[in-house]
Amino acid sequence: MTFSIQNIIQHLNAKTSGSFSDFIVENVSIDSRSLQNSNGTLFFALKGSNHDGHDYIESLITKGVRSFVVEYIPNNLEEKANFIIVENTKKALQETAKYYRNLFQFPIIGITGSNGKTIVKEWLNFLLSPDFSVVRSPKSYNSQVGVPLSIFGINEHHNLGLFEAGISQNGEMDILEEIIQPSIGVFTYLGSAHDEGFSSPSEKLLEKVKLFKNCKVVVLEQNDEIENHIACKKITWSFTNKIATVFVEKLLENQLKVNYNSDSFVVTIPFSDEISIKNCVTCIATLLHLGISLEKIQERVANLYPVEIRLQAKKGINNCVLIDDSYSSDYQSLKIALDFLEQQKLHQKKTIILSDIFQSGLPTERLYEKVTSVLQRNNIDRIIVIGETISKYLSELNNVIGFQSTSDFLKQFNTQSFQNETILIKGARSFNFDEIVVLLEEKNHETVLEINLDAISHNLNFYKSKLKPTTNIMVMVKAFGYGNGGFEIAKLLEHHKVDYLGVAFADEGIELRKAGITLPIMVLNPENSSFSAMIAYDLEPEIYSLSGLQEFIKVAQQKNVNSYPIHLKLDTGMHRLGFENHQIQDVISILKETNLVTIKSIFSHLATSDDTSFREFTLEQFSRFEKATSTICKSLKISPIQHILNTSGIFNYSEMQLDMVRLGIGLYGIGNSEEENKKLQQVGTLKSIISQIRTLKKGESVGYSRKFMISKETKVATIPIGYADGIRRSWGNEKGYVFINNQKATILGNVCMDMLMVDVTNIECYEGDEVIIFGEHPSVIEIANVVNTIPYEILTGISQRVKRIFFKN
């Protein structure tokens, strides 16, 4: 992607500061943290409710970026860079993408729907790439910002585009349609996703079909309601309606007979679930419209594969972290994966295992020049390349090791050479890099807790939206990140530039420091015996007692430190920890006599912020806090950070936000009211598999103590997860359930230490099938209500022997 900046300036009707006469745009960026920013970057300083890209311009200038699209020029920077000044930078990004899109005239397929957009896009890419030079939106880049960024991946060598469009409210699709300008439309499925942004499903449908207003043809499952709102030609498919353009008959579980015009042919598909079959038929109908031969359709469809659209961070052997992106290899997604590598790196040493890169649309030599440049900008320590082409073009780099094939790498490479590093594994599917992942991933049993990093970012931004821009935010990562994972979440929070992390004990903070976390860390339950270690690792203690204060001052003196930051905890009604009102003068007296410590913050904890029926008590706590804090600050002539709000406090009492708030359980997708939960996204999904299925007869029993007696023939599945993994025994004996193939399977008998058994009599399932222990259904909140506890206890109870997998869409 290169284009003239002068044309963009005219297109935007923008003012300028500086000289753009010789600037050619090589990269468009909105992320100041990306290592791919360089002197060829045009940076759009987007403003949102929780961030302002203008704040990072100065640091970008120091990294070599010289060209910016802004709404204003930050103080003292006018002479240091070149600026294009517009009213709205997001709109300018979209308008720039429209201009760039208009430079190309080849057909583009626009894909929308509630579900299946990314799967259909990736499958169409696989099915059409042998006949076309395809450009497609990377991953799930289908938003108001993601679509423009995707468009900049087009180059003059492409002759077909695949772009998905996602919306969450009225008015968004018109903008995306003008950017994508599809001539062919694909509608995947109309479901409940994003219903909350519309007054009715009909309103959402009307918004979605705006993508097709200038299309020549739209492919969709036969549906009168949807078709009535599409004016152009329609290619419909159906399993029941023979007058559809494509009529499909099921012959076997994974074999379909396709009837189109006067032709009939049979396809074998490598899936048996209903959703995958429908997505597959949508692709077949699209290929038929494009004139792909029946023989090619039969051959290619048989080779379709499950699409992993998420970047996953996994625990590797020898204290490594693996970034698993082993199913795609194109230049656009490589840049995204490298940014994720930088975000999730546990160690300074970075390794990439990379295959030949396909579908770039660029001449081979130019492609690998760009690949070389982006790898060097990301400071990759070791580059392992697999494939004849990439080995040839990257061979002159000092840190490159080349192999002709994946099997050559597996035969020759010693796994012990991977130690204490972060490894990005990225390859085209044909290279079978999943074998490398198996080799380098730490072996655990088949139960995993999947953590959605995008959901964490969403939840963080939701709570930020309740705050003033000047309010600091501390995020609690104690108790192994509420059971979700410590370092990985802390790294994400560091990426989002939160102000503080909070842990319960010093050893948690020490582990984060050892993992490379540099954010300020507050220890909320410090033991006196840990004070020396805290100073050694730059951890800041909560001080809540006179004895603790005196002991820390003593240790500070021994360590020869001055003005060491501490945080005073006041008890305003929680009656757990903290200085009581009658102790305030003693605290002041001690602090007046020393310069060994400095009060970084004063805070308290609300006892009933989650229950607004106790509003008067909460207001009284706040009043007590203000009075005590005022006394301390006046007496010591200081202005420390003040904070009292926890998660539910942010939601219910944002007027009390003061200088900082402390975000805890809400980050992990759990609020304290139905209203709050509607705003949050599910973060953790606990999964396992079916180990064995057996059929039991009347009179037999299941599990210890024969707690469940069979009253009629029952099919029972055993799942390898139990109370040693954190599943409450009280969730057993028909009180709880798991989800298998989108159906409830009731837990039978007692939960065992390492296993539980469920009723699958009416569920079509097989050994090895996936089992959802909790996630959307059942939710952690639902489980907590049934077993008479709180969601915190369910989350933090998940054993660390359960492998955590972190992913980003």
Side-chain angles (χ1 to χ4, degrees), residues 245-518:
T245 315
V246 180
F247 176 60
V248 185
E249 302 171 83
K250 280 189 178 181
L251 301 180
L252 298 171
E253 185 177 58
N254 64 338
Q255 198 171 73
L256 306 175
K257 182 180 180 182
V258 180
N259 304 282
Y260 174 66
N261 293 335
S262 58
D263 293 314
S264 293
F265 61 99
V266 175
V267 293
T268 300
I269 58 177
F271 308 101
S272 57
D273 63 287
E274 181 182 0
I275 293 174
S276 295
I277 291 173
K278 287 189 171 186
N279 288 335
C280 186
V281 174
T282 297
C283 292
I284 292 171
T286 306
L287 266 61
L288 288 169
H289 168 69
L290 291 172
I292 305 300
S293 72
L294 306 186
E295 292 77 13
K296 288 180 178 179
I297 292 174
Q298 289 173 308
E299 177 188 352
R300 295 174 191 174
V301 166
N303 291 315
L304 283 177
Y305 51 87
V307 174
E308 180 54 73
I309 61 176
R310 310 172 306 181
L311 283 161
Q312 298 184 69
K314 302 177 177 179
K315 192 171 184 180
I317 61 173
N318 306 326
N319 198 32
C320 291
V321 172
L322 304 184
I323 308 298
D324 182 1
D325 194 14
S326 55
Y327 294 100
S328 68
S329 183
D330 59 86
Y331 180 65
Q332 285 292 95
S333 65
L334 172 62
K335 294 194 293 182
I336 294 169
L338 286 167
D339 281 344
F340 187 65
L341 166 65
E342 188 64 24
Q343 178 182 313
Q344 281 294 307
K345 67 178 181 182
L346 174 58
H347 309 284
Q348 287 304 308
K349 184 178 180 181
K350 294 182 289 187
T351 292
I352 183 171
I353 303 175
L354 184 64
S355 78
D356 284 345
I357 293 176
F358 303 130
Q359 302 154 354
S360 72
L362 294 168
T364 304
E365 185 171 351
R366 175 61 180 147
L367 167 64
Y368 286 105
E369 284 177 2
K370 292 170 73 70
V371 170
T372 298
S373 177
V374 76
L375 291 175
Q376 289 176 328
R377 282 201 299 270
N378 278 265
N379 302 315
I380 305 299
D381 298 280
R382 177 168 53 167
I383 303 170
I384 298 171
V385 295
I386 298 177
E388 292 182 9
T389 306
I390 196 169
S391 295
K392 172 184 173 183
Y393 280 95
L394 270 66
S395 60
E396 294 185 5
L397 293 179
N398 293 331
N399 56 342
V400 165
I401 306 169
F403 297 89
Q404 293 298 298
S405 67
T406 303
S407 59
D408 288 341
F409 167 81
L410 294 172
K411 289 175 185 175
Q412 299 176 41
F413 220 83
N414 181 0
T415 57
Q416 291 305 307
S417 68
F418 295 97
Q419 300 273 346
N420 303 308
E421 56 194 292
T422 306
I423 308 166
L424 170 60
I425 302 172
K426 183 165 184 60
R429 181 175 172 78
S430 59
F431 282 84
N432 298 317
F433 271 18
D434 50 343
E435 296 179 20
I436 299 176
V437 174
V438 169
L439 177 73
L440 298 181
E441 186 177 5
E442 185 175 82
K443 304 303 182 285
N444 293 76
H445 62 76
E446 292 155 316
T447 296
V448 299
L449 180 61
E450 292 187 346
I451 310 299
N452 185 342
L453 295 174
D454 289 328
I456 288 179
S457 297
H458 167 88
N459 296 339
L460 174 65
N461 286 330
F462 165 69
Y463 286 104
K464 279 186 175 181
S465 72
K466 310 282 286 184
L467 305 174
K468 300 172 185 175
T470 54
T471 302
N472 291 337
I473 187 164
M474 174 188 290
V475 181
M476 313 310 296
V477 291
K478 61 183 181 179
F480 193 50
Y482 287 73
N484 292 284
F487 158 75
E488 295 84 356
I489 291 173
K491 189 68 179 175
L492 176 65
L493 296 171
E494 193 166 56
H495 186 69
H496 281 296
K497 302 185 185 298
V498 303
D499 301 284
Y500 259 91
L501 298 178
V503 298
F505 298 102
D507 56 354
E508 294 175 317
I510 290 170
E511 288 304 309
L512 292 178
R513 286 285 185 252
K514 287 180 177 178
I517 298 298
T518 59

Side-chain angles (χ1 to χ4, degrees), residues 186-217:
V186 172
F187 196 106
T188 57
Y189 171 73
L190 184 64
S192 59
H194 299 297
D195 273 356
E196 66 276 6
F198 301 90
S199 62
S200 67
S202 296
E203 183 181 63
K204 183 173 72 172
L205 171 60
L206 289 173
E207 182 68 19
K208 283 188 176 292
V209 298
K210 288 179 181 177
L211 180 65
F212 309 135
K213 62 185 178 183
N214 292 306
C215 284
K216 297 176 181 177
V217 64

Side-chain angles (χ1 to χ4, degrees), residues 16 42 71 103 109 125-126 158 213 216 320 341 523 585 594 629 647 664 671 675 679 689 701 704 715 736 782 785 798:
T16 62
L42 178 62
E71 295 177 17
L103 299 178
I109 299 175
N125 175 65
F126 170 78
H158 293 124
K213 62 185 178 183
K216 297 176 181 177
C320 291
L341 166 65
V523 181
Q585 289 302 325
T594 182
T629 302
T647 293
E675 181 186 2
K679 306 291 185 180
I689 64 163
S701 61
Y704 285 117
K715 188 167 65 169
E782 180 182 357
N785 289 337
I798 301 304

